[in-house]
Amino acid sequence: AELPSATPSQPESFDDGVAGMALWAFSQLDDLSLAWQLADCAQGASSLSLGALLGACERRCMLDGELTLWHRLARGGLSSVAATAEVLRLMDAGRLDDACRVLKRLEAEGLSNPASQVLWRACGSGGQLAAFQMKPPHRQDPHDKELRLLAYVLTHAKAGDARSVCTAIEEFGRDVLMPAGQWLKVAGDEKAAVLADALGQAVPLTSEEGPAYRVLEVGTY
C-alpha cells in the first residue's frame, strides 16, 4: 500500500492505548492501508503504539515505511535513538549518503553521541562528528527507563568493551533504579549466577560431537 500523502488533524481527545491496540490489529492485515491511515490520524501515537506497524514493515521488507516511522519517532527523548536506527537501516540498504545526512542533522541538533561517531566512520566519512551528552528523557516518556539506561551506558562504559557495557547495565539497575524503587529486567548480576547454576545442573544430551544442551527461553525482552 502507498503511504498516505495527507496528514489529517488529530482529534482533541486521543487515547494512545486504544490507538495502539487498533494499530496492532490493522498491522496484522495483508493490506496495511488502514494501519497507515490510523497512524496518520494519530499523530500523538507513542513508540509503543507505532511499534506494531514498524514491525510489520520490517517483516515485509518495506524499507520506505520503516524510514517514515523512524523519522517520525525521532523526536523528544527518542530523537537520537530513532535517528540512529534510521541510519542503520539506510546503511543496510547501501544508502550511505542518506545515512550521512541524517548523522549531520543529529550533529546540528546537538543530538549526536559516541555511537553516531562510530556510524560516521563506518559510512567511510572523514573527520569527526561532535559528540554531545545524551539528554535525559521526561519521566512520562515511553521507554524513559531504557533511555536513561542508554545514557548511563554511553557515559560509563568503555567503547568496544562488551564486559564494561554489561557492568554498566548492572550498575544502573543496582545503583540508580533500586534506590528509587524500580528494577531492570536483565539476566545479570545475582540473577546471572542463579541461571548459570541451573544450567550447570542440566543433564546433557548425547550426540556425535559430544555433550549438547537445549535451552528454551520464554518471555524474551
Side-chain angles (χ1 to χ4, degrees), residues 16 19 37 49 56 60 66 80 89 92 110 118-119 123-124 128 134 137 142 166 196 204 210 213 215 218 220:
D16 186 58
Q37 289 177 35
S49 294
R60 304 180 195 197
E66 282 188 68
S80 62
R89 296 301 291 125
D92 287 341
V118 173
L119 294 175
C123 287
Q128 291 187 341
M134 188 173 172
C166 291
Y213 296 88
V215 178
V218 180
T220 56

Side-chain angles (χ1 to χ4, degrees), residues 16-32 34-36 38-39 42 45-57 59-60:
D16 186 58
V18 173
M21 289 187 287
L23 277 169
W24 181 90
F26 291 152
S27 297
Q28 312 310 307
L29 302 175
D30 292 334
D31 183 355
L32 293 179
L34 287 175
W36 280 112
L38 177 56
S46 70
S47 54
L48 298 175
S49 294
L50 293 173
L53 181 54
L54 180 61
C57 290
R59 291 191 300 273
R60 304 180 195 197

Side-chain angles (χ1 to χ4, degrees), residues 50-110:
L50 293 173
L53 181 54
L54 180 61
C57 290
E58 183 177 358
R59 291 191 300 273
R60 304 180 195 197
C61 300
M62 299 172 61
L63 179 61
D64 287 341
E66 282 188 68
L67 295 175
T68 296
L69 291 170
W70 281 125
H71 185 74
R72 174 170 165 178
L73 289 171
R75 62 190 181 193
L78 281 175
S79 296
S80 62
V81 177
T84 298
E86 184 181 357
V87 169
L88 287 169
R89 296 301 291 125
L90 287 168
M91 292 175 66
D92 287 341
R95 294 166 56 177
L96 300 185
D97 289 342
D98 290 334
C100 288
R101 277 191 284 271
V102 176
L103 289 170
K104 291 299 291 184
R105 188 191 79 219
L106 279 176
E107 182 185 41
E109 296 174 356

